[in-house]
Amino acid sequence: MNPYEPVPMRIARIVVETDDHTLKSFELVFERKADQERFFSLYQPGQFCQLSIFGKGEAPFGVASAAWEGDFVRFTVNKIGVFTRAIHAMNAGDPIGMRGPLGNCYPIDDWKGSNIVVIGGGYAFTTLYALVKHLLAPEIRSQYGDLTVIYGARNSGLFLYKPDTETWYERSDIAFCQAIDLPEEGWSHFVGYVPTVTKEIAPSAENAVAFVCGPSVMIRFTLPVLHELGFSIERIYTSLEKRMKCGIGKCGRCNVGPRYVCKDGPVFAFAQVRELPQDL
Ligand SMILES: Cc1cc2nc3c(=O)[nH]c(=O)nc-3n(C[C@H](O)[C@H](O)[C@H](O)COP(=O)(O)OP(=O)(O)OC[C@H]3O[C@@H](n4cnc5c(N)ncnc54)[C@H](O)[C@@H]3O)c2cc1C
Ligand code: FES
């Protein structure tokens, strides 16, 4: 198989996620059964794909769905530039190319039996959502201990996957905490920045592992809180983002020191991130 050749996909469904319409989710389905079987035989939460639009180019996006959800692959795209504007202008039924799954995944198989803490801020919640959905599959959920999810956004209109995540409040197998930066009328959950709210909730570090994704400022202030709670840097993972070209470790576009984010990552333990040059 040519690793540079995208497989043909079709947009099956588009969901406008945020009130300001800057984030939309695209559920893509496969045109060929063999491509679908190959994808789902490989895919694990945390991985990404290169999406391509003829005449516009290619760009990497984290997969935001779990394999058990159905025969589609979800991507949630923030409209910021040439490619993302082009995909936002597309409609259900339109064709699109996809390469992947690419990169490594959240190493959850290594942490069976542990309590899981997921901390996300802003639209970096995409692959964390895939991780939580994966863990919530009944046959998988029973292999782990407590599941705590802390998810922050600037305001309530910017939360992703609302109809689904609202049901998490009713479940007994997940402790779900949403936080917004400033008070809002009618908001009954947490108010405050993610690091402050994490300190308030204080998830136990005993037999626990944390997965943290968000803007760099959120990560910078959340790490000391987790450290204070007793999480060692070997037990905290994140997903890095660098500009990419090939996505398979050949072009050198995404390297940080000796590591290629596309191939050695995008998921790294903070113990590994600490070893990387600081220009990250
Ligand atoms: C592994 C990985 C997973 C990603 N997952 C998602 C996702 O789930 N959803 C999502 O919306 N985006 C995601 N991104 C970022 C996404 O790839 C970029 O937003 C996209 O490539 C921008 O393309 P564009 O042509 O619209 O922007 P451009 O026109 O190329 O650039 C617009 C602006 O965005 C900046 N920019 C573009 N790409 C990046 C980047 N990778 N890092 C920092 N700044 C950048 C540019 O410097 C410029 O200021 C991911 C990136 C990586 C590497
Ligand atoms: S994008 Fe080419 S080496 Fe990572």
Side-chain angles (χ1 to χ4, degrees), residues 147 162 174 183 197 257 272:
L147 172 60
K162 281 190 277 269
I174 173 169
V197 171
Q272 295 171 295

Side-chain angles (χ1 to χ4, degrees), residues 23 48 58-63 75-85 123 126-127 239-244 261 266:
L23 280 137
F48 69 96
E58 226 187 13
F61 298 94
V63 178
F75 299 93
T76 303
V77 177
N78 187 27
K79 187 164 70 168
I80 56 157
V82 175
F83 185 92
T84 51
R85 261 199 291 272
Y123 74 89
T126 56
T127 58
S239 182
L240 299 182
E241 266 192 27
K242 287 288 279 181
R243 300 220 71 167
M244 288 181 183
V261 174

Side-chain angles (χ1 to χ4, degrees), residues 115-119 146-150 175 177 194-206 208-210 222 225-226 228-231:
N115 299 320
I116 309 283
V117 178
V118 171
I119 303 175
D146 295 342
L147 172 60
T148 305
V149 178
I150 300 170
C177 317
V194 166
T196 317
V197 171
T198 304
K199 199 169 181 163
E200 202 177 326
I201 293 164
S204 169
E206 204 182 315
V209 59
T222 303
V225 173
L226 288 175
E228 240 173 71
L229 291 169
F231 287 85

Side-chain angles (χ1 to χ4, degrees), residues 77-216:
V77 177
N78 187 27
K79 187 164 70 168
I80 56 157
V82 175
F83 185 92
T84 51
R85 261 199 291 272
I87 191 170
H88 266 247
M90 292 175 84
N91 297 304
D94 285 348
I96 188 163
M98 187 182 88
R99 289 197 290 128
L102 302 170
N104 67 356
C105 59
Y106 294 115
I108 38 170
D109 282 354
D110 299 347
W111 298 99
K112 283 192 178 154
S114 304
N115 299 320
I116 309 283
V117 178
V118 171
I119 303 175
Y123 74 89
F125 191 63
T126 56
T127 58
L128 292 179
Y129 180 65
L131 172 66
V132 175
K133 291 295 282 180
H134 174 79
L135 292 170
L136 286 176
E139 69 281 10
I140 294 170
R141 185 66 194 87
S142 57
Q143 298 170 19
Y144 295 86
D146 295 342
L147 172 60
T148 305
V149 178
I150 300 170
Y151 175 25
R154 284 202 312 280
N155 62 62
S156 61
L158 294 178
F159 282 114
L160 306 173
Y161 321 121
K162 281 190 277 269
D164 184 39
T165 56
E166 271 158 20
T167 68
W168 293 358
Y169 283 110
E170 275 119 56
R171 297 180 67 132
S172 56
D173 56 355
I174 173 169
F176 183 45
C177 317
Q178 276 174 299
I180 53 174
D181 290 358
L182 297 169
E184 264 177 40
E185 211 181 309
W187 180 254
S188 56
H189 305 295
F190 289 87
V191 175
Y193 296 120
V194 166
T196 317
V197 171
T198 304
K199 199 169 181 163
E200 202 177 326
I201 293 164
S204 169
E206 204 182 315
N207 188 29
V209 59
F211 299 93
V212 186
C213 293
S216 50

